[in-house]
Amino acid sequence: MKKLILPALFLGAIAFTSCKKDYTCSCTESGITIEYTMTESKKAAAAAICTGEGVGPITVAGQTQPQTTNNCTLK
């Protein structure tokens, strides 16, 4: 019985962890598309940063996207 409990706990812990992976945010402004990659991110955090929810303006490649910009999508 003890031999079954430890593997079951280990598998249960893995099932409840969130995956971190790379996400790409694509923003289009005046016909110009800029993409940037967020590495080792959780999906909810990457989506919040990409859409500008509560993080303020984002500067990518020298261009600032205001917080109110909603022309960005997470890929």
Side-chain angles (χ1 to χ4, degrees):
M1 185 72 171
K2 289 181 183 178
K3 292 180 182 179
L4 295 176
I5 292 175
L6 187 58
L9 289 174
F10 179 73
L11 291 175
I14 290 174
F16 287 108
T17 59
S18 179
C19 293
K20 289 185 178 181
K21 61 182 194 176
D22 297 348
Y23 290 97
T24 301
C25 183
S26 176
C27 300
T28 303
E29 182 72 35
S30 302
I32 299 171
T33 300
I34 297 174
E35 291 186 345
Y36 60 95
T37 302
M38 293 168 276
T39 58
E40 296 290 318
S41 299
K42 292 183 180 181
K43 186 174 183 178
I49 291 170
C50 183
T51 58
E53 294 176 7
V55 295
I58 299 171
T59 302
V60 177
Q63 294 191 355
T64 301
Q65 296 287 325
Q67 183 177 357
T68 57
T69 301
N70 59 2
N71 56 354
C72 297
T73 56
L74 189 66
K75 293 182 176 182

Short mmCIF file of all heavy atoms in Angstrom, two decimals:
data_model
loop_
_atom_site.label_atom_id
_atom_site.label_comp_id
_atom_site.label_asym_id
_atom_site.label_seq_id
_atom_site.Cartn_x
_atom_site.Cartn_y
_atom_site.Cartn_z
N MET A 1 0.82 -1.19 0.00
CA MET A 1 0.00 0.00 0.00
C MET A 1 0.87 1.26 0.00
O MET A 1 0.56 2.22 -0.69
CB MET A 1 -0.92 -0.04 1.22
CG MET A 1 -1.90 1.09 1.27
SD MET A 1 -3.14 0.84 0.02
CE MET A 1 -4.27 2.09 0.43
N LYS A 2 1.94 1.24 0.80
CA LYS A 2 2.82 2.41 0.87
C LYS A 2 3.48 2.67 -0.48
O LYS A 2 3.77 3.80 -0.83
CB LYS A 2 3.89 2.21 1.93
CG LYS A 2 3.37 2.27 3.34
CD LYS A 2 4.49 2.09 4.34
CE LYS A 2 3.97 2.07 5.76
NZ LYS A 2 5.05 1.86 6.73
N LYS A 3 3.72 1.62 -1.24
CA LYS A 3 4.37 1.76 -2.54
C LYS A 3 3.46 2.46 -3.55
O LYS A 3 3.93 3.04 -4.51
CB LYS A 3 4.79 0.40 -3.08
CG LYS A 3 5.90 -0.24 -2.29
CD LYS A 3 6.26 -1.58 -2.86
CE LYS A 3 7.35 -2.24 -2.03
NZ LYS A 3 7.70 -3.56 -2.55
N LEU A 4 2.18 2.43 -3.33
CA LEU A 4 1.23 3.07 -4.24
C LEU A 4 0.95 4.53 -3.87
O LEU A 4 0.62 5.32 -4.73
CB LEU A 4 -0.08 2.28 -4.26
CG LEU A 4 -0.01 0.87 -4.83
CD1 LEU A 4 -1.35 0.19 -4.70
CD2 LEU A 4 0.43 0.91 -6.28
N ILE A 5 1.09 4.86 -2.60
CA ILE A 5 0.75 6.22 -2.15
C ILE A 5 1.74 7.25 -2.68
O ILE A 5 1.33 8.30 -3.19
CB ILE A 5 0.67 6.27 -0.61
CG1 ILE A 5 -0.54 5.45 -0.14
CG2 ILE A 5 0.56 7.70 -0.12
CD1 ILE A 5 -0.65 5.33 1.35
N LEU A 6 3.03 6.99 -2.59
CA LEU A 6 4.03 7.96 -3.03
C LEU A 6 3.93 8.27 -4.52
O LEU A 6 3.88 9.45 -4.90
CB LEU A 6 5.43 7.47 -2.67
CG LEU A 6 6.56 8.47 -2.91
CD1 LEU A 6 6.32 9.76 -2.15
CD2 LEU A 6 7.88 7.85 -2.51
N PRO A 7 3.84 7.28 -5.40
CA PRO A 7 3.65 7.61 -6.83
C PRO A 7 2.34 8.34 -7.11
O PRO A 7 2.30 9.23 -7.96
CB PRO A 7 3.68 6.25 -7.53
CG PRO A 7 4.42 5.36 -6.59
CD PRO A 7 4.09 5.86 -5.22
N ALA A 8 1.29 8.00 -6.38
CA ALA A 8 0.02 8.68 -6.59
C ALA A 8 0.11 10.15 -6.18
O ALA A 8 -0.43 11.02 -6.87
CB ALA A 8 -1.09 7.98 -5.80
N LEU A 9 0.80 10.44 -5.09
CA LEU A 9 0.99 11.83 -4.67
C LEU A 9 1.82 12.60 -5.68
O LEU A 9 1.55 13.76 -5.99
CB LEU A 9 1.64 11.89 -3.29
CG LEU A 9 0.78 11.46 -2.12
CD1 LEU A 9 1.61 11.43 -0.83
CD2 LEU A 9 -0.40 12.39 -1.95
N PHE A 10 2.85 11.96 -6.20
CA PHE A 10 3.70 12.60 -7.20
C PHE A 10 2.92 12.93 -8.46
O PHE A 10 3.00 14.04 -8.99
CB PHE A 10 4.89 11.69 -7.53
CG PHE A 10 5.81 12.25 -8.56
CD1 PHE A 10 6.65 13.31 -8.26
CD2 PHE A 10 5.82 11.75 -9.85
CE1 PHE A 10 7.50 13.84 -9.20
CE2 PHE A 10 6.67 12.28 -10.81
CZ PHE A 10 7.51 13.32 -10.48
N LEU A 11 2.14 12.01 -8.96
CA LEU A 11 1.34 12.25 -10.15
C LEU A 11 0.27 13.30 -9.90
O LEU A 11 -0.03 14.11 -10.78
CB LEU A 11 0.70 10.94 -10.63
CG LEU A 11 1.67 9.91 -11.20
CD1 LEU A 11 0.94 8.61 -11.52
CD2 LEU A 11 2.36 10.45 -12.43
N GLY A 12 -0.29 13.33 -8.72
CA GLY A 12 -1.28 14.35 -8.36
C GLY A 12 -0.66 15.74 -8.35
O GLY A 12 -1.27 16.71 -8.79
N ALA A 13 0.57 15.85 -7.85
CA ALA A 13 1.25 17.15 -7.81
C ALA A 13 1.54 17.64 -9.22
O ALA A 13 1.42 18.83 -9.51
CB ALA A 13 2.54 17.03 -7.01
N ILE A 14 1.93 16.75 -10.10
CA ILE A 14 2.20 17.13 -11.49
C ILE A 14 0.93 17.60 -12.18
O ILE A 14 0.94 18.55 -12.95
CB ILE A 14 2.84 15.95 -12.26
CG1 ILE A 14 4.25 15.71 -11.76
CG2 ILE A 14 2.86 16.23 -13.75
CD1 ILE A 14 4.92 14.50 -12.35
N ALA A 15 -0.18 16.97 -11.89
CA ALA A 15 -1.45 17.32 -12.54
C ALA A 15 -1.91 18.73 -12.18
O ALA A 15 -2.59 19.38 -12.97
CB ALA A 15 -2.53 16.30 -12.16
N PHE A 16 -1.54 19.23 -11.00
CA PHE A 16 -2.01 20.54 -10.57
C PHE A 16 -1.02 21.66 -10.82
O PHE A 16 -1.28 22.80 -10.49
CB PHE A 16 -2.38 20.50 -9.08
CG PHE A 16 -3.65 19.75 -8.83
CD1 PHE A 16 -3.62 18.51 -8.23
CD2 PHE A 16 -4.88 20.27 -9.21
CE1 PHE A 16 -4.79 17.81 -8.00
CE2 PHE A 16 -6.05 19.58 -8.98
CZ PHE A 16 -6.01 18.34 -8.38
N THR A 17 0.11 21.38 -11.43
CA THR A 17 1.06 22.45 -11.74
C THR A 17 0.71 23.05 -13.10
O THR A 17 0.21 22.37 -13.98
CB THR A 17 2.51 21.93 -11.76
OG1 THR A 17 2.61 20.90 -12.72
CG2 THR A 17 2.95 21.45 -10.41
N SER A 18 0.97 24.31 -13.24
CA SER A 18 0.69 25.01 -14.48
C SER A 18 1.92 24.98 -15.38
O SER A 18 3.04 25.16 -14.92
CB SER A 18 0.29 26.45 -14.19
OG SER A 18 0.04 27.13 -15.38
N CYS A 19 1.69 24.77 -16.65
CA CYS A 19 2.81 24.72 -17.60
C CYS A 19 3.29 26.12 -17.94
O CYS A 19 2.49 27.02 -18.18
CB CYS A 19 2.37 24.03 -18.89
SG CYS A 19 2.00 22.30 -18.68
N LYS A 20 4.58 26.27 -17.97
CA LYS A 20 5.19 27.51 -18.44
C LYS A 20 5.78 27.22 -19.80
O LYS A 20 6.46 26.22 -19.98
CB LYS A 20 6.28 27.99 -17.49
CG LYS A 20 5.77 28.53 -16.18
CD LYS A 20 6.91 29.08 -15.37
CE LYS A 20 6.41 29.67 -14.08
NZ LYS A 20 7.51 30.23 -13.28
N LYS A 21 5.48 28.06 -20.76
CA LYS A 21 6.04 27.89 -22.09
C LYS A 21 6.16 29.25 -22.75
O LYS A 21 5.86 30.27 -22.15
CB LYS A 21 5.21 26.92 -22.92
CG LYS A 21 3.78 27.32 -23.16
CD LYS A 21 3.07 26.24 -23.95
CE LYS A 21 1.77 26.73 -24.51
NZ LYS A 21 1.13 25.73 -25.36
N ASP A 22 6.61 29.27 -23.98
CA ASP A 22 6.80 30.52 -24.72
C ASP A 22 5.50 30.91 -25.42
O ASP A 22 4.84 30.06 -26.03
CB ASP A 22 7.91 30.37 -25.76
CG ASP A 22 9.26 30.07 -25.12
OD1 ASP A 22 9.38 30.21 -23.90
OD2 ASP A 22 10.18 29.71 -25.86
N TYR A 23 5.14 32.19 -25.31
CA TYR A 23 3.96 32.72 -25.98
C TYR A 23 4.38 33.91 -26.83
O TYR A 23 5.27 34.67 -26.45
CB TYR A 23 2.90 33.17 -24.97
CG TYR A 23 2.25 32.02 -24.25
CD1 TYR A 23 2.69 31.62 -22.99
CD2 TYR A 23 1.20 31.32 -24.81
CE1 TYR A 23 2.10 30.55 -22.33
CE2 TYR A 23 0.60 30.26 -24.16
CZ TYR A 23 1.06 29.88 -22.92
OH TYR A 23 0.48 28.83 -22.28
N THR A 24 3.72 34.09 -27.97
CA THR A 24 4.00 35.21 -28.86
C THR A 24 2.82 36.16 -28.86
O THR A 24 1.68 35.74 -29.01
CB THR A 24 4.27 34.70 -30.29
OG1 THR A 24 5.37 33.81 -30.26
CG2 THR A 24 4.58 35.85 -31.23
N CYS A 25 3.13 37.44 -28.69
CA CYS A 25 2.11 38.48 -28.73
C CYS A 25 2.27 39.23 -30.05
O CYS A 25 3.36 39.64 -30.41
CB CYS A 25 2.27 39.42 -27.55
SG CYS A 25 0.99 40.69 -27.48
N SER A 26 1.18 39.41 -30.76
CA SER A 26 1.20 40.10 -32.04
C SER A 26 0.35 41.35 -31.94
O SER A 26 -0.84 41.29 -31.63
CB SER A 26 0.66 39.16 -33.13
OG SER A 26 0.59 39.82 -34.36
N CYS A 27 0.97 42.51 -32.21
CA CYS A 27 0.27 43.79 -32.15
C CYS A 27 0.31 44.46 -33.53
O CYS A 27 1.35 44.51 -34.17
CB CYS A 27 0.94 44.72 -31.14
SG CYS A 27 0.96 44.08 -29.47
N THR A 28 -0.84 44.96 -33.97
CA THR A 28 -0.93 45.63 -35.26
C THR A 28 -1.40 47.07 -35.04
O THR A 28 -2.40 47.31 -34.39
CB THR A 28 -1.91 44.90 -36.19
OG1 THR A 28 -1.48 43.55 -36.33
CG2 THR A 28 -1.96 45.55 -37.55
N GLU A 29 -0.64 48.00 -35.61
CA GLU A 29 -0.96 49.42 -35.49
C GLU A 29 -0.64 50.07 -36.82
O GLU A 29 0.50 49.98 -37.30
CB GLU A 29 -0.14 50.05 -34.36
CG GLU A 29 -0.44 51.51 -34.13
CD GLU A 29 -1.81 51.73 -33.49
OE1 GLU A 29 -2.25 50.92 -32.68
OE2 GLU A 29 -2.44 52.75 -33.83
N SER A 30 -1.59 50.73 -37.43
CA SER A 30 -1.41 51.44 -38.71
C SER A 30 -0.81 50.55 -39.79
O SER A 30 0.07 50.96 -40.54
CB SER A 30 -0.53 52.66 -38.50
OG SER A 30 -1.09 53.53 -37.55
N GLY A 31 -1.26 49.31 -39.84
CA GLY A 31 -0.79 48.38 -40.86
C GLY A 31 0.56 47.74 -40.59
O GLY A 31 1.04 46.95 -41.38
N ILE A 32 1.17 48.07 -39.47
CA ILE A 32 2.46 47.49 -39.11
C ILE A 32 2.25 46.49 -37.98
O ILE A 32 1.61 46.80 -36.98
CB ILE A 32 3.46 48.57 -38.66
CG1 ILE A 32 3.70 49.56 -39.80
CG2 ILE A 32 4.76 47.95 -38.20
CD1 ILE A 32 4.50 50.77 -39.38
N THR A 33 2.77 45.28 -38.15
CA THR A 33 2.63 44.24 -37.14
C THR A 33 3.97 44.02 -36.44
O THR A 33 4.99 43.86 -37.09
CB THR A 33 2.16 42.92 -37.77
OG1 THR A 33 0.90 43.14 -38.39
CG2 THR A 33 2.01 41.83 -36.72
N ILE A 34 3.92 44.04 -35.12
CA ILE A 34 5.10 43.76 -34.30
C ILE A 34 4.78 42.54 -33.45
O ILE A 34 3.73 42.47 -32.83
CB ILE A 34 5.45 44.96 -33.39
CG1 ILE A 34 5.81 46.18 -34.22
CG2 ILE A 34 6.58 44.60 -32.44
CD1 ILE A 34 6.01 47.43 -33.40
N GLU A 35 5.70 41.58 -33.44
CA GLU A 35 5.52 40.38 -32.62
C GLU A 35 6.68 40.29 -31.63
O GLU A 35 7.81 40.62 -31.97
CB GLU A 35 5.48 39.12 -33.48
CG GLU A 35 4.24 39.02 -34.33
CD GLU A 35 4.14 37.70 -35.06
OE1 GLU A 35 5.15 36.96 -35.15
OE2 GLU A 35 3.04 37.40 -35.56
N TYR A 36 6.38 39.88 -30.41
CA TYR A 36 7.42 39.62 -29.43
C TYR A 36 7.06 38.37 -28.65
O TYR A 36 5.90 38.01 -28.52
CB TYR A 36 7.68 40.83 -28.52
CG TYR A 36 6.49 41.29 -27.71
CD1 TYR A 36 6.30 40.84 -26.41
CD2 TYR A 36 5.58 42.19 -28.24
CE1 TYR A 36 5.23 41.27 -25.66
CE2 TYR A 36 4.50 42.63 -27.50
CZ TYR A 36 4.34 42.16 -26.21
OH TYR A 36 3.27 42.59 -25.48
N THR A 37 8.10 37.70 -28.16
CA THR A 37 7.92 36.43 -27.48
C THR A 37 8.19 36.59 -25.99
O THR A 37 9.17 37.21 -25.59
CB THR A 37 8.88 35.37 -28.07
OG1 THR A 37 8.62 35.26 -29.46
CG2 THR A 37 8.69 34.02 -27.41
N MET A 38 7.30 36.03 -25.20
CA MET A 38 7.48 35.98 -23.75
C MET A 38 7.86 34.54 -23.41
O MET A 38 7.09 33.62 -23.66
CB MET A 38 6.20 36.39 -23.04
CG MET A 38 5.86 37.85 -23.25
SD MET A 38 4.22 38.27 -22.70
CE MET A 38 3.28 37.82 -24.16
N THR A 39 9.05 34.36 -22.87
CA THR A 39 9.54 33.01 -22.59
C THR A 39 9.20 32.58 -21.18
O THR A 39 9.11 33.40 -20.27
CB THR A 39 11.06 32.93 -22.78
OG1 THR A 39 11.69 33.87 -21.92
CG2 THR A 39 11.46 33.23 -24.22
N GLU A 40 9.00 31.27 -21.04
CA GLU A 40 8.73 30.65 -19.74
C GLU A 40 7.62 31.38 -18.98
O GLU A 40 7.78 31.73 -17.81
CB GLU A 40 10.01 30.62 -18.90
CG GLU A 40 11.11 29.77 -19.48
CD GLU A 40 10.82 28.28 -19.43
OE1 GLU A 40 10.32 27.81 -18.40
OE2 GLU A 40 11.07 27.61 -20.44
N SER A 41 6.49 31.60 -19.64
CA SER A 41 5.36 32.32 -19.04
C SER A 41 4.15 31.41 -18.88
O SER A 41 3.99 30.46 -19.63
CB SER A 41 4.95 33.50 -19.91
OG SER A 41 6.00 34.41 -20.04
N LYS A 42 3.32 31.74 -17.91
CA LYS A 42 2.03 31.07 -17.80
C LYS A 42 1.08 31.79 -18.75
O LYS A 42 1.23 32.97 -19.02
CB LYS A 42 1.50 31.15 -16.37
CG LYS A 42 2.33 30.33 -15.40
CD LYS A 42 1.72 30.37 -14.02
CE LYS A 42 2.56 29.54 -13.06
NZ LYS A 42 1.99 29.55 -11.71
N LYS A 43 0.09 31.07 -19.26
CA LYS A 43 -0.78 31.62 -20.29
C LYS A 43 -1.55 32.85 -19.78
O LYS A 43 -1.66 33.85 -20.49
CB LYS A 43 -1.76 30.57 -20.79
CG LYS A 43 -2.59 31.05 -21.95
CD LYS A 43 -3.45 29.97 -22.54
CE LYS A 43 -4.20 30.48 -23.75
NZ LYS A 43 -5.00 29.45 -24.38
N ALA A 44 -2.06 32.81 -18.56
CA ALA A 44 -2.83 33.94 -18.04
C ALA A 44 -1.96 35.19 -17.91
O ALA A 44 -2.39 36.30 -18.24
CB ALA A 44 -3.44 33.58 -16.69
N ALA A 45 -0.73 35.02 -17.44
CA ALA A 45 0.17 36.16 -17.29
C ALA A 45 0.56 36.72 -18.66
O ALA A 45 0.60 37.94 -18.85
CB ALA A 45 1.42 35.75 -16.52
N ALA A 46 0.84 35.85 -19.61
CA ALA A 46 1.21 36.30 -20.95
C ALA A 46 0.06 37.04 -21.62
O ALA A 46 0.25 38.07 -22.27
CB ALA A 46 1.64 35.12 -21.81
N ALA A 47 -1.16 36.55 -21.43
CA ALA A 47 -2.33 37.20 -22.01
C ALA A 47 -2.55 38.59 -21.39
O ALA A 47 -2.88 39.54 -22.09
CB ALA A 47 -3.58 36.34 -21.83
N ALA A 48 -2.35 38.70 -20.08
CA ALA A 48 -2.52 40.00 -19.41
C ALA A 48 -1.50 41.01 -19.91
O ALA A 48 -1.82 42.17 -20.16
CB ALA A 48 -2.41 39.82 -17.90
N ILE A 49 -0.26 40.57 -20.09
CA ILE A 49 0.78 41.47 -20.59
C ILE A 49 0.51 41.85 -22.05
O ILE A 49 0.63 43.00 -22.44
CB ILE A 49 2.17 40.83 -20.44
CG1 ILE A 49 2.52 40.75 -18.95
CG2 ILE A 49 3.23 41.61 -21.20
CD1 ILE A 49 3.74 39.92 -18.66
N CYS A 50 0.12 40.88 -22.84
CA CYS A 50 -0.13 41.12 -24.26
C CYS A 50 -1.26 42.12 -24.48
O CYS A 50 -1.15 43.01 -25.31
CB CYS A 50 -0.44 39.81 -24.96
SG CYS A 50 -0.66 39.95 -26.74
N THR A 51 -2.33 41.98 -23.73
CA THR A 51 -3.47 42.88 -23.90
C THR A 51 -3.33 44.15 -23.07
O THR A 51 -4.16 45.04 -23.17
CB THR A 51 -4.78 42.17 -23.53
OG1 THR A 51 -4.71 41.72 -22.17
CG2 THR A 51 -5.05 41.00 -24.46
N GLY A 52 -2.29 44.25 -22.23
CA GLY A 52 -2.04 45.46 -21.46
C GLY A 52 -2.91 45.62 -20.24
O GLY A 52 -3.10 46.71 -19.75
N GLU A 53 -3.43 44.52 -19.71
CA GLU A 53 -4.31 44.60 -18.53
C GLU A 53 -3.50 44.87 -17.27
O GLU A 53 -2.80 44.01 -16.78
CB GLU A 53 -5.08 43.29 -18.37
CG GLU A 53 -6.06 43.03 -19.48
CD GLU A 53 -6.75 41.68 -19.32
OE1 GLU A 53 -6.57 41.02 -18.29
OE2 GLU A 53 -7.45 41.29 -20.24
N GLY A 54 -3.58 46.10 -16.78
CA GLY A 54 -2.99 46.44 -15.50
C GLY A 54 -1.48 46.54 -15.47
O GLY A 54 -0.90 46.58 -14.40
N VAL A 55 -0.82 46.60 -16.61
CA VAL A 55 0.63 46.67 -16.60
C VAL A 55 1.17 47.99 -17.15
O VAL A 55 2.36 48.22 -17.13
CB VAL A 55 1.26 45.49 -17.40
CG1 VAL A 55 0.98 44.19 -16.73
CG2 VAL A 55 0.81 45.49 -18.83
N GLY A 56 0.31 48.84 -17.64
CA GLY A 56 0.75 50.10 -18.19
C GLY A 56 1.24 49.94 -19.61
O GLY A 56 1.09 48.90 -20.22
N PRO A 57 1.86 50.98 -20.15
CA PRO A 57 2.33 50.91 -21.54
C PRO A 57 3.49 49.93 -21.69
O PRO A 57 4.26 49.71 -20.77
CB PRO A 57 2.77 52.34 -21.84
CG PRO A 57 2.97 52.98 -20.53
CD PRO A 57 2.09 52.27 -19.54
N ILE A 58 3.61 49.33 -22.87
CA ILE A 58 4.66 48.38 -23.18
C ILE A 58 5.49 48.95 -24.33
O ILE A 58 4.94 49.42 -25.32
CB ILE A 58 4.07 47.01 -23.59
CG1 ILE A 58 3.25 46.43 -22.45
CG2 ILE A 58 5.15 46.05 -24.02
CD1 ILE A 58 2.46 45.20 -22.85
N THR A 59 6.81 48.91 -24.22
CA THR A 59 7.69 49.38 -25.28
C THR A 59 8.34 48.17 -25.95
O THR A 59 8.97 47.36 -25.29
CB THR A 59 8.78 50.32 -24.73
OG1 THR A 59 8.14 51.42 -24.09
CG2 THR A 59 9.67 50.82 -25.84
N VAL A 60 8.13 48.06 -27.26
CA VAL A 60 8.72 46.97 -28.04
C VAL A 60 9.37 47.59 -29.26
O VAL A 60 8.75 48.35 -29.99
CB VAL A 60 7.63 45.96 -28.47
CG1 VAL A 60 8.24 44.87 -29.34
CG2 VAL A 60 6.93 45.36 -27.27
N ALA A 61 10.63 47.26 -29.47
CA ALA A 61 11.39 47.76 -30.62
C ALA A 61 11.32 49.28 -30.73
O ALA A 61 11.18 49.84 -31.81
CB ALA A 61 10.90 47.10 -31.90
N GLY A 62 11.36 49.95 -29.59
CA GLY A 62 11.38 51.40 -29.57
C GLY A 62 10.02 52.07 -29.74
O GLY A 62 9.92 53.28 -29.73
N GLN A 63 8.95 51.28 -29.90
CA GLN A 63 7.61 51.85 -30.04
C GLN A 63 6.79 51.49 -28.81
O GLN A 63 6.77 50.35 -28.39
CB GLN A 63 6.93 51.32 -31.29
CG GLN A 63 7.61 51.79 -32.56
CD GLN A 63 6.79 51.49 -33.79
OE1 GLN A 63 5.74 50.86 -33.72
NE2 GLN A 63 7.25 51.95 -34.94
N THR A 64 6.11 52.49 -28.27
CA THR A 64 5.32 52.29 -27.06
C THR A 64 3.86 52.04 -27.42
O THR A 64 3.26 52.80 -28.16
CB THR A 64 5.42 53.52 -26.14
OG1 THR A 64 6.79 53.73 -25.81
CG2 THR A 64 4.62 53.32 -24.86
N GLN A 65 3.34 50.94 -26.89
CA GLN A 65 1.93 50.62 -27.04
C GLN A 65 1.23 51.06 -25.75
O GLN A 65 1.59 50.60 -24.68
CB GLN A 65 1.73 49.11 -27.21
CG GLN A 65 2.34 48.54 -28.47
CD GLN A 65 1.54 48.93 -29.70
OE1 GLN A 65 0.33 49.04 -29.65
NE2 GLN A 65 2.24 49.14 -30.79
N PRO A 66 0.26 51.97 -25.83
CA PRO A 66 -0.42 52.41 -24.61
C PRO A 66 -1.24 51.28 -24.00
O PRO A 66 -1.58 50.31 -24.66
CB PRO A 66 -1.33 53.55 -25.08
CG PRO A 66 -1.50 53.32 -26.54
CD PRO A 66 -0.27 52.62 -27.02
N GLN A 67 -1.53 51.43 -22.71
CA GLN A 67 -2.28 50.40 -21.99
C GLN A 67 -3.66 50.19 -22.60
O GLN A 67 -4.20 49.09 -22.56
CB GLN A 67 -2.43 50.79 -20.52
CG GLN A 67 -3.14 49.75 -19.69
CD GLN A 67 -3.19 50.13 -18.23
OE1 GLN A 67 -2.66 51.14 -17.82
NE2 GLN A 67 -3.83 49.31 -17.44
N THR A 68 -4.23 51.19 -23.19
CA THR A 68 -5.58 51.09 -23.73
C THR A 68 -5.63 50.42 -25.11
O THR A 68 -6.68 50.20 -25.65
CB THR A 68 -6.23 52.47 -23.85
OG1 THR A 68 -5.38 53.30 -24.65
CG2 THR A 68 -6.41 53.10 -22.48
N THR A 69 -4.45 50.12 -25.66
CA THR A 69 -4.42 49.47 -26.97
C THR A 69 -4.98 48.06 -26.87
O THR A 69 -4.55 47.28 -26.04
CB THR A 69 -2.97 49.40 -27.50
OG1 THR A 69 -2.48 50.70 -27.60
CG2 THR A 69 -2.92 48.74 -28.86
N ASN A 70 -5.96 47.75 -27.69
CA ASN A 70 -6.54 46.41 -27.66
C ASN A 70 -6.36 45.72 -29.00
O ASN A 70 -7.14 44.88 -29.37
CB ASN A 70 -8.02 46.46 -27.24
CG ASN A 70 -8.84 47.31 -28.19
OD1 ASN A 70 -8.33 47.84 -29.16
ND2 ASN A 70 -10.11 47.45 -27.89
N ASN A 71 -5.31 46.08 -29.70
CA ASN A 71 -5.07 45.49 -31.02
C ASN A 71 -3.98 44.43 -30.95
O ASN A 71 -3.32 44.14 -31.92
CB ASN A 71 -4.70 46.57 -32.04
CG ASN A 71 -3.51 47.38 -31.60
OD1 ASN A 71 -3.02 47.23 -30.49
ND2 ASN A 71 -3.05 48.28 -32.46
N CYS A 72 -3.78 43.86 -29.77
CA CYS A 72 -2.78 42.81 -29.58
C CYS A 72 -3.47 41.48 -29.29
O CYS A 72 -4.48 41.45 -28.58
CB CYS A 72 -1.84 43.15 -28.44
SG CYS A 72 -0.87 44.64 -28.72
N THR A 73 -2.93 40.42 -29.84
CA THR A 73 -3.48 39.09 -29.60
C THR A 73 -2.36 38.13 -29.23
O THR A 73 -1.23 38.27 -29.69
CB THR A 73 -4.20 38.54 -30.84
OG1 THR A 73 -3.30 38.54 -31.95
CG2 THR A 73 -5.43 39.37 -31.18
N LEU A 74 -2.70 37.18 -28.40
CA LEU A 74 -1.74 36.17 -27.96
C LEU A 74 -1.82 34.97 -28.88
O LEU A 74 -2.89 34.49 -29.22
CB LEU A 74 -2.06 35.75 -26.53
CG LEU A 74 -1.05 34.86 -25.83
CD1 LEU A 74 0.25 35.61 -25.63
CD2 LEU A 74 -1.60 34.41 -24.49
N LYS A 75 -0.65 34.50 -29.32
CA LYS A 75 -0.60 33.33 -30.19
C LYS A 75 -0.06 32.15 -29.44
O LYS A 75 0.73 32.25 -28.57
CB LYS A 75 0.29 33.59 -31.40
CG LYS A 75 -0.27 34.62 -32.34
CD LYS A 75 0.67 34.75 -33.51
CE LYS A 75 0.11 35.69 -34.55
NZ LYS A 75 0.98 35.81 -35.70
#
